[in-house]
Amino acid sequence: MSASMISTTDLTKSYDGVHALRGVSLEVAEGTVLGLLGHNGAGKTTLVNILATLLPPSGGNAKVAGHDVVRDSRSVRGCIGLTGQFASVDEKLSGYDNLVLIARLLGASPRQAGERAEELLEAFDLSAAGRRLCRTYSGGMRRRLDLAASLVGRPQVIFLDEPSTGLDPASRISLWETVEAMVADGTTVLLTTQYLEEAERLADTVAVLSQGSVVAAGTPSELKSRVGERRAQLSTTRRDDAVKVAEALRGAGFAAVQTPEEGAVSVPVAGFDDFAQVVRAVERAAVPVTGLTLSEPSLDDVYLSLAAKSTAADGR
Ligand SMILES: Nc1ncnc2c1ncn2[C@@H]1O[C@H](COP(=O)(O)OP(=O)(O)OP(=O)(O)O)[C@@H](O)[C@H]1O
Ligand SMILES: [Mg+2]
C-alpha cells in the first residue's frame, strides 16, 4: 500500500465571511492522480493554493509529502510543482530564459539549467519558439510553458489547476500524455478540471467539490455506478413503431421509456444478457428498428446528477 502524499483533514477557509472550504478531508496516494471536479466557485483553486502554501487555511490541517503546509511550508515548497489557473510566465523573457531562470533559482548549474530548459521545451513542443519573448506566445503556448515551468525541479507532487483550459484538442492530448508519463515515473498529481473526460482519462480517484464541501468521492467507475446504468437506445422511423417497441419491452419486464426524440426508446440494461433479451423482445414484436446502441454512463451524468441534487438542497 503506498503512502499518502497529500492529505487534508477538515480543512476550512473563509474569506471575509465567504466560506470557500467547509471541512475538506482528502487523501491522495503516492503515484496516483486525484481529479477535483467542481463548478465555478466550488473552492478548487482555494484548496490548491492552500496545499501549495500560497494561502493559509482558516482551520483543519493539510500535509504534502508528509510536511505540514503551515508549519513546514518550506519543505512543502521544495517538493511540489504548481501550474496555476492563470498563466504566470514572465512576458519579457523568452520561454527558454523563463525555464533557465527557474532551474537556476532551484540551484542548477548554468549548464544543467540550459539542458533542462531544452528538454522541457522539446517535451512541450515549444522548441521552435523557445528563443522568442513569451509576449508573442499564443494562450496555449503560454499554458504549455507554464506547465513546463512547474516541472523544472522534477517535483514529487504536482498541482495542476485547470491545466487544459484554453488548449486546443491536440495540445490537450499531449498534456494528458505528459501527465501520464509523470505519473508512471511515480509523481503524485492533484488536478482540478471542469472537463469530465479529463478526470475520467487521468484520475485514479475523483472528488466532486460543491460550495466548499466534497459531495462525492471515489474512482471514476464507482461514481459512474452510483447514478449509472447502461442503457440501450432503439430507434425507429415512426412514432407508432416506437410505442409498439416500448410496449413489447415492458411486456418482457423492462422499464422502457420513449425518449423525447421522435421514434426513440430507451431502456436500462444491467448486462449483456439483458441486452440480448431486449433484442429478442424487439424481434418478436416484429417492428422495424433502424438503430440500436448501448451507452455507458459517463462521469458527466454523475456530475450533473450530483449538481442537481446540491442545487435542489441549496434551494430549500
Ligand atoms: N481572495 C478572495 N477574497 C474573497 N473571496 C474569495 C477570494 N478567492 C476566492 N474567493 C471566493 O471563494 C469561493 C471559492 O473560490 P475558488 O477560486 O476557490 O473557486 P474555484 O472552484 O477555483 O472556481 P473556478 O472554477 O471559477 O476557478 C468563491 O465563492 C470565491 O468567490
Ligand atoms: Mg479556480
Side-chain angles (χ1 to χ4, degrees):
M1 192 54 211
S2 36
S4 209
M5 282 301 269
I6 303 171
S7 116
T8 73
T9 312
D10 220 9
L11 203 62
T12 59
K13 178 71 189 178
S14 305
Y15 305 96
D16 302 328
V18 176
H19 299 296
L21 296 178
R22 301 165 187 260
V24 171
S25 300
L26 289 172
E27 299 285 333
V28 189
E30 183 169 10
T32 68
V33 181
L34 172 74
L36 195 61
L37 284 167
H39 285 304
N40 289 139
K44 304 180 297 295
T45 298
T46 300
L47 180 61
V48 165
N49 286 347
I50 290 173
L51 292 171
T53 77
L54 299 175
L55 203 63
S58 307
N61 57 63
K63 283 185 174 177
V64 175
H67 309 294
D68 188 282
V69 295
V70 177
R71 286 196 300 275
D72 210 357
S73 55
R74 270 177 75 92
S75 306
V76 172
R77 283 197 287 273
C79 54
I80 64 168
L82 168 68
T83 300
Q85 187 168 6
F86 304 102
S88 60
V89 296
D90 188 335
E91 304 247 302
K92 296 183 290 301
L93 295 179
S94 69
Y96 177 84
D97 287 339
N98 262 291
L99 297 177
V100 166
L101 177 71
I102 294 166
R104 295 283 287 142
L105 288 170
L106 291 172
S109 70
R111 187 171 148 194
Q112 287 169 330
E115 282 170 7
R116 186 71 180 137
E118 295 290 8
E119 203 174 283
L120 286 164
L121 289 172
E122 174 80 33
F124 287 87
D125 204 17
L126 288 169
S127 296
R131 284 347 192 240
R132 253 165 56 195
L133 295 188
C134 292
R135 189 186 308 137
T136 68
Y137 284 16
S138 72
M141 290 164 80
R142 281 174 208 220
R143 197 84 210 136
R144 299 208 297 275
L145 182 65
D146 229 24
L147 190 62
S150 70
L151 301 181
V152 169
R154 295 187 175 82
Q156 285 175 275
V157 179
I158 167 149
F159 300 107
L160 305 173
D161 196 4
E162 303 206 16
S164 62
T165 299
L167 294 187
D168 60 29
S171 304
R172 184 172 295 169
I173 289 168
S174 105
L175 167 88
W176 290 349
E177 286 168 353
T178 309
V179 172
E180 282 164 348
M182 289 176 347
V183 175
D185 279 347
T187 311
T188 306
V189 178
L190 187 154
L191 71 90
T192 77
T193 183
Q194 312 225 9
Y195 298 108
L196 302 144
E197 55 169 335
E198 185 161 81
E200 205 163 3
R201 158 102 185 230
L202 292 177
D204 298 292
T205 53
V206 172
V208 182
L209 206 57
S210 175
Q211 305 197 358
S213 301
V214 175
V215 292
T219 64
S221 56
E222 276 165 6
L223 283 182
K224 274 161 83 171
S225 67
R226 280 177 57 159
V227 276
E229 51 187 6
R230 288 199 189 98
R231 295 193 78 89
Q233 310 280 347
L234 301 98
S235 25
T236 63
T237 49
R238 294 174 37 211
R239 212 181 127 67
D240 284 356
D241 288 346
V243 172
K244 284 184 205 151
V245 167
E247 275 168 4
L249 288 170
R250 283 195 286 266
F254 289 100
V257 289
Q258 279 169 261
T259 55
E261 302 106 84
E262 190 86 345
V265 175
S266 171
V267 55
V269 288
F272 289 96
D273 284 353
D274 270 6
F275 190 64
Q277 281 191 44
V278 166
V279 173
R280 283 196 289 271
V282 171
E283 205 173 39
R284 278 197 303 275
V287 182
V289 166
T290 52
L292 175 57
T293 56
L294 187 61
S295 62
E296 295 285 329
S298 74
L299 202 49
D300 223 347
D301 297 329
V302 177
Y303 184 47
L304 288 172
S305 98
L306 287 165
K309 275 178 210 153
S310 71
T311 311
D314 295 341
R316 280 168 305 188

